[in-house]
């Protein structure tokens, strides 16, 4: 049986068109983009084109794109950089209960060091930020509100324009980790009012290890670097630029901007076919999160009575993901699903299917077949061993 990859939210495959633009840079792209000689200037011109492509996908300004080594670094820069620059009396940071670890752990770190006071805003059982809870928690002592656009585990979308408005009403900055939403649904920095936006190359069929923090002219003046050195990227991210990665990321952004609209319709149709087939073939199948407000490519599905790790292992060579993490040999439940009030047992029975550009109808047929077989097998084994 051929391999089927349904873990695009983990990392999407590199688009061959991206490889095509990266290859000449890898082969012939000589020189440091900061050098003034002709080789350096050529590299810089390629980076500048990519800066425009990335900015265009988000509705930001090219000069406000700060290239980083991925969204993890962009999130670290936004949180640490904004807190390190916050005026006295504004030391609180608010994040949602379902943020990616790179936001959650950075915020916890700032709190532990006494650099910020962290408050976590709960989410509804649908998986999005509870706006009333945010309103109750927010105040003029808040420096930064950080809420993701779309959740990687459930695909659930947050009301980011409203959250941005609440943050601005008290004079706080709004950071949005848009890593999963960008390239899949329209995202416009100006419309959302975000002051800082994090994105990543490998979620949009670009290379891994490259991403960006996009700010505004004003917000970037209120940011301190976390990586110090030669003053690259407006002094906010030192280090010689990864030109091939940046050019690949730019091309991936360009393709996403061109193809996102019809791609999302095609992918949503496949995703809905997958979930409908699973529900028809198996009993006690439930979707997790608000299915009316989520990414077109994601389905988080609970198969009651079947341990997700066991199902995933038996689904090979179909690749999907559980939100649980293996820490020091024990399986930790997904913090995202727990925060949504999903009971612990159910968390361990939930699987994320995430589709994308290269997913075909045949992939979905194979995935349905393998999932049904695996769930039935695990359910029988569980009953027999009970
Ligand atoms: N934020 C979100 C929402 C993500 O899904 C991910 C990747 N899983 C990241 C940040 C980190 O991105 P990167 O791998 O580029 O560091």
């Amino acid at each position: 049986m051929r391999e089927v990859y349904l873990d695009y939210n983990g990392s999407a495959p590199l688009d061959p068109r991206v490889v095509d633009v990266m290859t000449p840079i890898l082969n012939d792209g000589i020189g440091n983009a900061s050098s003034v000689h002709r080789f350096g200037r050529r590299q810089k011109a390629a980076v500048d084109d990519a800066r425009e492509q990335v900015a265009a996908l988000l509705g930001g300004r090219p000069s406000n794109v700060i290239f980083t080594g991925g969204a993890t670094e962009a999130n670290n820069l936004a949180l640490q950089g904004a807190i390190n620059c916050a005026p006295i009396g504004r030391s609180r940071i608010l994040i949602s209960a379902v943020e990616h670890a790179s936001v959650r752990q950075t915020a916890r770190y700032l709190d532990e060091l006494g650099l910020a006071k962290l408050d976590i805003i709960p989410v509804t059982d649908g998986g999005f930020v509870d706006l009333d809870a945010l309103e109750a928690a927010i105040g003029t002592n808040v420096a930064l509100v950080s809420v993701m656009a779309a959740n990687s585990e459930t695909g659930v979308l947050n009301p980011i324009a409203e959250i941005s408005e609440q943050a601005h009403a008290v004079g706080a900055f709004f950071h949005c980790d848009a890593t999963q939403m960008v390239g899949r649904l329209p995202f416009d920095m100006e419309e959302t009012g975000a002051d800082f936006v994090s994105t990543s190359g490998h979620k949009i069929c670009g290379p891994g290890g490259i991403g960006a923090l996009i700010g505004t002219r004003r917000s970037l003046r209120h940011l301190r670097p976390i990586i110090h050195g030669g003053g690259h990227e407006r002094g906010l991210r030192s280090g010689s630029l990864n030109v091939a990665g940046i050019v690949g990321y730019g091309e991936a952004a360009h393709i996403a901007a061109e193809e996102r609209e019809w791609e999302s319709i095609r992918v949503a149709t496949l995703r809905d076919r997958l979930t409908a087939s699973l529900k028809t073939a198996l009993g006690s199948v439930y979707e997790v999160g608000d299915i009316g407000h989520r990414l077109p490519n994601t389905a988080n599905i609970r198969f009651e009575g079947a341990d997700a790790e066991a199902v995933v292992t038996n689904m090979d060579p179909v690749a999907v993901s559980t939100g649980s993490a293996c820490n020091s040999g024990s399986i930790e439940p997904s913090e995202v699903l727990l925060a949504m009030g999903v009971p612990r047992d159910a968390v361990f029975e939930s699987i994320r299917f995430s589709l994308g550009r290269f997913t075909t109808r045949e992939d979905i047929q194979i995935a349905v077949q393998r999932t049904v077989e695996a769930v039935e097998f695990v359910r029988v084994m569980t009953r027999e061993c009970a």
Side-chain angles (χ1 to χ4, degrees), residues 9-11 68-75 98-103 148-153 177-181 184 198-203 207-212 352:
N9 290 8
S11 189
T68 62
T72 296
E73 189 193 321
N75 287 339
V98 293
E99 292 305 305
H100 185 259
S102 54
V103 165
M148 68 200 331
N151 188 271
S152 34
E153 289 184 41
D177 176 358
T179 304
Q180 294 289 351
M181 184 164 172
R184 298 200 172 120
S198 301
T199 75
S200 177
H202 70 124
K203 309 291 175 173
I210 186 74
R352 176 186 73 191

